[in-house]
Amino acid sequence: MNKKSPAHRRPGRRAAVAAGLVLAVGLGVSTQVSAQASVHAPAKASTAQSVSGRSGQAVTRVADFYGAYIDAKGDYTDPDVTLATALRKHYLTPDFAKRLAAWERKNEADGVLRAQNVPAQWTVTDNGTVGNGHEVIVTLTFGSGETTQKTKLFVLVERYNHIVDIDTTSTR
């Protein structure tokens, strides 16, 4: 077997995939982005990605929610509706969940994403304190290449770190 044959390369690729799966399952949603990046891209010291968060921090909570929610909804062949529903129940206040369901019926779109499809990329940014809560900006990028569209959402997190509103305008 020569060094360039596909059979020779498979053990390394399998090890990378296995390591990514172990990280994704063992370390939770916040590190899934990092684990997936290491599986799909060659490891280079200058392009290493890192995801971190802090317990009790609004921006971390919103990032965890959106990362897991998009993963659950994003598998077009087999979306995990049960997980998406459980995430909503865990992260959203009951009152906001009802208002969101009404918005979805009226607009025929997913209220968390404010769209009918799932974004290819997202970023989460702290926007500071608002009254008794905290506002976090979620920027969703739909499409790829030259045909991308960005949507900016303002997510309000209040007492007990639950999401109480998602809107396209800031409350600031």
Side-chain angles (χ1 to χ4, degrees), residues 8-108:
H8 181 73
R9 289 182 295 205
R10 283 190 188 127
R13 178 175 259 163
R14 285 185 190 137
V17 170
L21 288 172
V22 167
L23 282 173
V25 172
L27 298 177
V29 172
S30 294
T31 57
Q32 276 187 330
V33 173
S34 178
Q36 289 169 350
S38 69
V39 171
H40 295 298
K44 293 181 182 178
S46 63
T47 61
Q49 287 187 330
S50 174
V51 177
S52 62
R54 191 173 307 180
S55 181
Q57 195 176 49
V59 71
T60 300
R61 187 146 178 95
V62 171
D64 288 346
F65 170 62
Y66 269 87
Y69 189 80
I70 290 168
D71 283 349
K73 300 284 284 191
D75 187 352
Y76 293 106
T77 58
D78 189 24
D80 193 339
V81 177
T82 303
L83 177 58
T85 302
L87 288 165
R88 283 174 172 238
K89 186 174 182 176
H90 180 74
Y91 284 94
L92 309 179
T93 63
D95 178 57
F96 177 58
K98 288 178 190 172
R99 288 187 289 125
L100 194 61
W103 185 95
E104 290 173 329
R105 284 190 298 276
K106 179 181 175 186
N107 293 281
E108 297 181 4

Side-chain angles (χ1 to χ4, degrees), residues 155-172:
V155 179
L156 185 60
V157 179
E158 285 191 354
R159 214 161 110 189
Y160 307 116
N161 286 324
H162 285 90
I163 296 171
V164 296
D165 195 32
I166 299 171
D167 206 339
T168 55
T169 57
S170 175
T171 55
R172 295 175 67 75

